[in-house]
Structures are given as structure tokens and as C-alpha cells.
Amino acid sequence: MTTILHGNIIHTPSFGALETIPGGYLILEDGVIRGIWPDLPEEYAACPVTDYGDSLIMPSFADLHLHAPQYPMLGMGMDLPLLDWLDTYTFRTEARFEDEAFARRTYRRLARDLITSGTTRVAMFSSRHTDATWILMEELERAGVAGYVGKVNMNRSSGLSQETTEESISETLRWLEGCHFDLVKPILTPRFTPSCTNELMAELGRLAEERDLPVQSHLSENTGEMALVRQLHPDCAQYWETYRKYGLWKDRTLMAHCVYSDVREQEAMIESGVWAVHCAASNVNLCSGTAPVRELVNRGVQVALGSDIAGGDQLAMHKVIVMSIRASKIRQMETGASFLTVPEAYYLGSSAGHRYFGGGEGFASGQKLHAIVVDDGSLPEPVRELSLAERFERAVYLMGKEQIKAVYSEGINRL
Ligand code: GUN
Ligand code: FE
């Protein structure tokens, strides 16, 4: 089936680049992008056109790090450093997902809120609960959100949310058996080194290898956390080595934060194909620090963005993109490293994440369409006619759900 979208097409075909096609045509065959044309090609003259008028057609967002069971604590309790925040607020909130009705209600809302905010791909942490994790995967699938979800493994120092080693392993196996979803796939999720014993880490590493499963976790987020990791693993000179030791540091492993990753840790990421997920809002909220995002990108580390709710307080990725720009400006004032431009940060919050899942950059041909349609006509009236690049910048800073008129995930409008 042919679908033709007409509107102002704006996309980020590579890091830092911005391409604008005023009144262009985006043509799909069965949801897959055939190409972008400034004028409708003759061969399509007889096909119906979905006309978005003067609206902006832009890539949708990919959120590569967030905690679904922290959605009920969104916007609250960000007054403690990481380890105290986990002990005081987080583990007890996640413990509630034992209750399947509560999980269904919360996850249905979350999945819908992701779509209405323009996020179409995610790499997400669930809680330790197998049944609630399946519910989360079902609700994402139903809403049309694609990506990875992980049942969290945590058999140490995890308060109310702690599992035994045997439970953690047997429940992970049971969970994997029941993962038969189309858009949503499993990812192994040792929460972070302090919450997993060596025995559990080794078992998860074996499973990752044996079943060729991807891995996600946290790395070098906070100084207190790093001191604890050094104490737990005196044989490892750096945090990342605790993951490598157990086979969890591998191609496409996602590591959230990397605020304190130095040159050596960054080079280890490049060597193994590990991705850094930059979570600027969370890093400021929990006073963790400002991540060296420019350094990571320049050195060649693969970087994407994460909302990290509920350390982060904003689910909407355009707000996370803006926060990444702001945090990079603070970093510039502190260190002189140049800040992220709007097209650069947008690329990290959209194309980079889509590329992690095998998608293309910007609206690359041959990929299922992941796009949002933004009607910026209701934003405050500008003093003069704006270029598409200016309208793009203004939309990134000012848009809300009210301006998002369509959300294409895997080639289908899910709004
Ligand atoms: N490290 C381990 N668990 C968490 C979490 O839930 N949030 C954040 N920001 N860091 C973590
Ligand atoms: Fe996190």
C-alpha cells in the first residue's frame, strides 16, 4: 500500500546536519520510506495524499533509558543523591508492581503518554516482577511503541525490591519464555553492579552469550556509586571492568549516564561497541554531575539520549533534548567544551536511538517511518516570517502534546 505525506519535512540525516524540504512529499510503501520529493512524482499523481498543510514532519523520538515502574513517582523526591534516593523512594515504589492491576493501569497510561509525546522507540527498565514486565510489554505493543524492555535483576542491597539469586535467575528464564511480542523484545537488565552479586552477573553474562541477548545497565553516574563499586570489586581498576568481567560489556550494550567516564572508560566503550545513554535531566535532578557529552561524541562513542524517568522528571523527549543542550552549556561554562546545537541534540534524541535499533538516520529510505507531525501554528505569533530551521528550533523548545498532530511508529499513525 502506498502512503503519501505532504508537509514541511525537516530531518537530521547525520549528526549536526539539518535538511528542510518545504512543502515536500514523503512516500511510503507498506510503511517503509521510499524517499522524499520536493514535488509529487508523476507516477504517484493518482494516489491519495495525507495533507498536513503547513505543519512540520520531523523524526520521532527514541528514549534509550527510562524506568517504567518509576512513573508513579514522576516529579517527586529528587532531593537526595543517587544511592539514598534509591533506598528512600525508588525501591519501595517499584515494589508496588507486585500488584498486576496497578501495573496494568500505570503501564497503559505510560505507553499512551509515550505515543502522545512522540516517543516511538524505547529501551526500558521494568521492575523485578516477571508478570508486570509482560504487562508492560503488552501495553507498549498495544500503543505501538517499539524497542526493548528488561525485567530488572537485583539480588543485593535493593531493600523491598530485592530477589534471591535463585529467584532472579529462574524468573529471568520464565520471563524470556513468555516474550512473544512483535514490536517489543527482551533485553537483559542487571540493574547496576551494586545491586547484583558476582554469581548473578556471571549467570546473566552466560545467558547474554548463549541466547545472543542485548544488555542494559548503569555506569559511572555518581561519585558515591563509584566508590561503592570500587569497594565491591577491588580487583577492577574501573567501573566498566565489573561488567566486562562477567560478559556483560559487549556490542550494543547500553550504559546509562557515563557522567564520570574518563578517556580509558570511553575507549573501552568504542572498542566493544558499547553505547552511552546521556540522561541530562536526571543528572541535574540528582546532582550527579554534567556528563562529558561533547567529549564522548568527538571521541567516537555511540551516544543516544534517555529521559531516565523518574530520576528525570520529563517523559517528553523534546524537553530532554532541550535539557541536554542546557546541560552542555553549563559544561561549556565549566570546562570550555562546546555545547550541543539544536540539530545535534535532536539527532541524539531521535536518529541516534533509531539507529541503535537498526533504523536509519533522519528519514532514510528503506526504513519503517518513525515520525511526528507538529502544528506550530498555535505557538505565539512570531514577529516575522520564519525559516523552516527557525520553526524547527522553536518547536523543539516550545511544543507540547497539543502541537503533536500525528505520531508514526513502524510506518503507522498511532495517535
Ligand atoms: N542506578 C541504579 N538504579 C538506578 C535508577 O533507578 N535510576 C538511576 N538514575 N540510576 C540508577
Ligand atoms: Fe536509570
Side-chain angles (χ1 to χ4, degrees):
M1 193 185 78
T2 305
T3 310
I4 304 176
L5 310 186
H6 178 54
N8 294 308
I9 300 166
I10 304 180
H11 70 140
T12 47
S14 62
F15 179 70
L18 188 72
E19 196 172 279
T20 61
I21 302 100
Y25 294 85
L26 185 51
I27 301 183
L28 316 176
E29 293 293 353
D30 296 324
V32 174
I33 303 171
R34 267 223 53 206
I36 299 170
W37 282 266
D39 300 294
L40 190 61
E42 196 51 45
E43 60 184 295
Y44 292 103
C47 297
V49 173
T50 305
D51 191 356
Y52 288 116
D54 194 37
S55 292
L56 313 175
I57 304 174
M58 304 168 22
S60 70
F61 304 113
D63 186 346
L64 263 62
H65 183 76
L66 73 164
H67 297 263
Q70 294 174 23
Y71 205 42
M73 56 186 266
L74 191 71
M76 291 167 61
M78 293 169 286
D79 51 354
L80 293 171
L82 177 66
L83 298 179
D84 299 323
W85 173 81
L86 287 169
D87 286 337
T88 309
Y89 305 113
T90 316
F91 296 146
R92 67 183 68 229
T93 304
E94 294 192 10
R96 289 198 57 190
F97 287 80
E98 183 89 51
D99 176 345
E100 289 173 34
F102 178 68
R104 179 71 67 185
R105 216 166 48 241
T106 307
Y107 291 155
R108 183 161 296 181
R109 169 83 197 264
L110 171 62
R112 190 65 197 153
D113 288 350
L114 283 164
I115 285 294
T116 56
S117 309
T119 298
T120 62
R121 280 189 172 114
V122 294
M124 200 180 247
F125 282 49
S126 177
S127 59
R128 69 178 163 83
H129 311 97
T130 299
D131 298 274
T133 304
W134 286 328
I135 290 171
L136 173 58
M137 296 170 94
E138 276 168 26
E139 292 300 331
L140 291 172
E141 180 110 346
R142 174 206 295 266
V145 181
Y148 291 150
V149 167
K151 174 222 167 311
V152 168
N153 298 99
M154 43 202 296
N155 70 338
R156 170 166 71 183
S157 309
S158 306
L160 283 173
S161 276
Q162 192 160 316
E163 350 163 77
T164 66
T165 309
E166 297 67 37
E167 255 171 2
S168 192
I169 295 166
S170 65
E171 283 300 296
T172 300
L173 293 171
R174 185 168 84 86
W175 166 61
L176 289 170
E177 290 306 308
C179 287
H180 303 293
F181 303 94
D182 181 29
L183 300 178
V184 187
K185 306 289 179 201
I187 182 168
L188 291 180
T189 307
R191 184 174 200 119
F192 69 155
T193 299
S195 61
C196 297
T197 61
N198 298 355
E199 185 190 357
L200 179 57
M201 297 264 272
E203 191 54 39
L204 293 172
R206 263 197 297 279
L207 205 53
E209 166 78 19
E210 186 187 294
R211 306 204 184 181
D212 194 23
L213 287 166
V215 174
Q216 61 180 352
S217 195
H218 294 90
L219 181 71
S220 301
E221 175 179 3
N222 160 285
T223 50
E225 168 209 25
M226 292 170 72
L228 178 57
V229 171
R230 274 193 298 276
Q231 202 182 314
L232 293 168
H233 292 265
D235 54 319
C236 292
Q238 293 201 302
Y239 194 163
W240 68 276
E241 294 170 34
T242 64
Y243 294 115
R244 185 188 56 177
K245 197 161 83 173
Y246 298 108
L248 298 162
W249 186 262
K250 61 191 196 102
D251 192 38
R252 297 184 73 241
T253 290
L254 290 171
M255 283 292 163
H257 303 296
C258 309
V259 173
Y260 296 99
S261 296
D262 65 3
V263 178
R264 200 168 145 235
E265 194 157 88
Q266 291 177 21
E267 280 173 353
M269 301 183 87
I270 295 166
E271 251 166 57
S272 299
V274 170
W275 286 56
V277 189
H278 175 45
C279 305
S282 167
N283 294 158
V284 173
N285 287 339
L286 299 183
C287 293
S288 297
T290 54
V293 60
R294 172 65 64 188
E295 196 185 324
L296 286 160
V297 169
N298 282 1
R299 185 159 283 119
V301 177
Q302 304 281 3
V303 179
L305 301 187
S307 67
D308 192 29
I309 64 157
D313 57 302
Q314 300 291 342
L315 187 66
M317 284 299 287
H318 63 92
K319 294 192 177 169
V320 173
I321 287 169
V322 168
M323 192 58 220
S324 312
I325 297 169
R326 289 210 183 99
S328 73
K329 288 182 175 173
I330 294 169
R331 182 103 184 162
Q332 169 163 331
M333 292 185 271
E334 286 169 346
T335 71
S338 59
F339 62 75
L340 294 175
T341 65
V342 177
E344 284 176 338
Y346 200 91
Y347 177 92
L348 296 180
S350 60
S351 290
H354 293 309
R355 206 162 47 77
Y356 174 79
F357 290 106
E361 297 172 291
F363 292 133
S365 303
Q367 307 292 331
K368 285 267 173 83
L369 181 67
H370 283 259
I372 56 174
V373 178
V374 178
D375 176 7
D376 59 346
S378 55
L379 294 176
E381 196 175 330
V383 290
R384 57 178 170 78
E385 186 119 342
L386 302 180
S387 67
L388 282 184
E390 287 170 323
R391 286 174 63 185
F392 168 75
E393 177 177 6
R394 200 170 75 122
V396 171
Y397 272 89
L398 301 186
M399 74 173 149
K401 285 183 178 180
E402 320 79 74
Q403 277 77 37
I404 300 180
K405 300 298 179 192
V407 179
Y408 287 83
S409 176
E410 295 287 299
I412 297 169
N413 183 9
R414 315 281 177 163
L415 207 58

